[in-house]
C-alpha cells in the first residue's frame, strides 16, 4: 500500500476506444496526478494531452508512476505487468479480460505478489450504482430469502455484417465473445451479489454468421438451498432503453418477500410479494461516464485502498476465480453437462 502519500502518480497504457473513460475518471480525482499516456499509436497518446509515449519502458522510466493503469487487450497484460514490476511501480490496475489464460493470469498474480505490487483487475460492473443498490437491498433482507437472480443481456449491437465495426471491430474476430468479453462481467457481479457458485451449466451459440465467436446463450449458477443465478444473453436483440449501453439489459432479483427489478435506465424498484405497486430504490438520471460512472467508482475505490488502507475488491488473486468459472462455462457448453468442479485458482 501507499498509505501516507498525499498524491498518487498515475500513468496509463492504452488510448483506444474505452480508455477515454479511464482518463476522464482519473482527471476527476483530486488525489491523483496523471504523469503519462502510452499507446503504440503515438497520436492517440498525444490526444490525451498528457506526456506521451509509444514505448511502455520509456514511459515507466521517465514518468516514474506509482500506479500503472493497463487499458489494453489481454495479449499485452503479462508483459506490461512484468515491466511495471521491473521499473518499481507499486500498484497496477489491469483491464479485463485479465491476461490470455488462467495460467497466464496466475503467473502475473504470483509475480506481483512476490514483488509486493498491488494488482487489481478493472472489473467495474460491480461498481455500477444499481448493483450496489441491489446488494444493499439483498443484505438488508428487503426481499426476504433470496431465490433467484436473472440478468437478460440485450445490447442490440450484434446484427448484420457491420456488427461492432463502428466501436470495437475486433469483436468480429474474437473466437470467444459473449462470455469472455461481456458475460464475464456477470460472473463477477453474481459473485458480488450472492457469493461463490457450486456448479454451472451453459448453452452457447452463434447467431450472426459474420463473427467468429458466440453471441447468444445462457449460463446458470447453482448455489446452496436451491438458489440460482441466470445469465441470458443475446447481442442481436435489444431491451427497452433510450441507450441500451447504460445497463446492457434488465435484471430481476427475486426473494420470498419481494422482487427487485433493474430497468434499462438504471433505476431499481422494489415490489413486495403480493403487491401490484412498487417503490423506487434508485431513480433514473443522466448518468455520467460509462455504466453509471463505474470506471470512476472503481478507480476511487483503488485510490482509497492505496492511500487510506481500505480493503480492496477485485484483487488479482481473488479474480482468478472469475477466470476459472469462465473456463468452466465454455467446458459445460462443449460437453453439454453441468460442471461442479472449477479448476483451483
Amino acid at each position: 500500500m501507499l498509505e501516507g502519500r498525499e498524491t498518487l502518480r498515475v500513468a496509463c497504457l492504452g488510448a483506444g476506444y474505452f480508455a477515454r473513460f479511464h482518463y476522464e475518471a482519473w482527471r476527476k480525482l483530486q488525489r491523483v496526478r496523471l504523469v503519462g499516456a502510452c499507446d503504440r499509436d503515438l497520436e492517440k497518446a498525444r490526444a490525451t494531452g498528457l506526456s506521451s509515449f509509444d514505448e511502455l519502458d520509456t514511459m515507466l522510466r521517465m514518468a516514474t508512476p506509482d500506479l500503472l493503469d493497463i487499458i489494453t487487450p489481454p495479449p499485452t497484460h503479462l508483459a506490461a505487468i512484468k515491466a511495471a514490476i521491473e521499473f518499481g511501480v507499486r500498484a497496477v490496475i489491469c483491464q479485463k479480460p485479465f491476461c490470455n489464460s488462467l495460467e497466464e493470469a496466475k503467473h502475473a498474480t504470483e509475480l506481483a505478489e512476490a514483488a509486493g505490487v498491488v494488482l487489481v483487475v478493472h472489473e467495474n460492473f460491480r461498481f455500477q450504482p444499481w448493483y450496489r443498490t441491489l446488494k444493499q437491498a439483498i443484505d438488508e433482507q428487503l426481499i426476504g430469502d433470496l431465490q433467484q437472480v436473472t440478468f437478460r443481456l440485450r445490447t442490440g449491437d450484434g446484427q448484420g455484417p457491420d456488427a461492432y465495426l463502428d466501436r470495437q471491430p475486433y469483436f468480429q474476430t474474437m473466437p470467444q465473445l459473449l462470455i469472455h468479453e461481456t458475460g464475464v462481467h456477470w460472473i463477477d457481479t453474481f459473485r458480488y451479489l450472492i457469493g461463490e457458485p457450486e456448479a454451472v451449466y451453459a448453452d452457447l451459440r452463434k447467431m450472426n454468421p459474420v463473427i467468429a465467436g458466440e453471441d447468444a446463450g445462457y449460463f446458470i449458477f447453482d448455489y446452496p438451498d436451491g438458489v440460482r443465478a441466470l445469465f441470458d444473453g443475446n447481442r442481436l436483440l435489444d431491451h427497452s432503453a433510450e441507450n441500451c449501453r447504460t445497463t446492457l439489459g434488465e435484471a430481476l432479483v427475486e426473494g420470498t418477500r419481494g422482487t427487485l427489478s433493474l430497468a434499462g435506465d438504471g433505476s431499481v424498484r422494489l415490489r413486495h410479494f403480493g403487491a401490484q405497486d412498487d417503490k423506487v430504490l434508485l431513480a433514473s438520471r443522466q448518468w455520467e461516464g460509462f455504466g453509471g460512472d463505474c470506471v470512476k467508482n472503481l478507480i476511487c475505490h483503488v485510490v482509497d485502498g492505496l492511500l487510506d488502507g481500505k480493503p480492496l475488491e477485485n484483487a488479482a488473486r481473488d479474480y482468478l476465480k472469475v477466470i476459472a468459472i469462465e473456463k468452466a462455462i465454455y467446458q459445460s457448453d462443449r460437453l453439454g453437462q453441468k460442471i461442479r468442479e472449477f479448476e483451483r485458482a
Side-chain angles (χ1 to χ4, degrees), residues 4 7-8 11 17 37 70 73-74 78 101-102 106 132 134 145-146 161-162 167 178 214 219 239 247 283 310 316 323:
T7 303
L8 196 66
Y17 164 75
I70 300 173
L78 180 58
S101 64
L102 179 57
K106 286 180 179 178
R132 300 315 250 202
L134 291 173
D145 295 329
L146 182 65
D162 295 332
R167 191 175 60 251
L178 179 69
E214 82 286 357
F219 65 78
H239 64 285
T247 63
K310 295 181 180 180
I323 305 175

Side-chain angles (χ1 to χ4, degrees), residues 87-100:
F87 282 89
V89 173
R90 302 313 305 157
V92 174
I93 302 177
C94 186
Q95 257 290 354
K96 50 63 62 185
F98 178 39
C99 294
N100 275 324

Side-chain angles (χ1 to χ4, degrees), residues 10 41 56 59 72 90 112-113 126 147 151 155 177 180-181 189 192 227 239 241 262-263 282 296:
V10 175
D41 184 337
L56 176 59
M59 180 175 72
T72 50
R90 302 313 305 157
E113 289 175 345
R126 64 162 63 202
Q147 299 286 291
F151 183 81
T155 54
L177 175 63
H180 182 62
E181 202 291 323
T189 299
Y192 169 66
V227 176
H239 64 285
L262 166 64
L282 179 66
K296 175 177 174 287

Side-chain angles (χ1 to χ4, degrees), residues 25-75:
W26 284 118
R27 285 189 166 101
K28 293 176 183 177
L29 305 189
Q30 294 183 347
R31 297 198 293 171
V32 165
R33 180 184 173 194
L34 282 171
V35 296
C38 179
D39 195 279
R40 61 185 180 182
D41 184 337
L42 187 57
E43 290 306 311
K44 288 184 177 179
R46 285 173 176 163
T48 67
L50 302 172
S51 297
S52 305
F53 306 86
D54 57 7
E55 294 290 340
L56 176 59
D57 287 4
T58 304
M59 180 175 72
L60 295 175
R61 183 176 62 254
M62 295 183 65
T64 61
D66 301 311
L67 182 147
L68 176 66
D69 189 8
I70 300 173
I71 327 168
T72 50

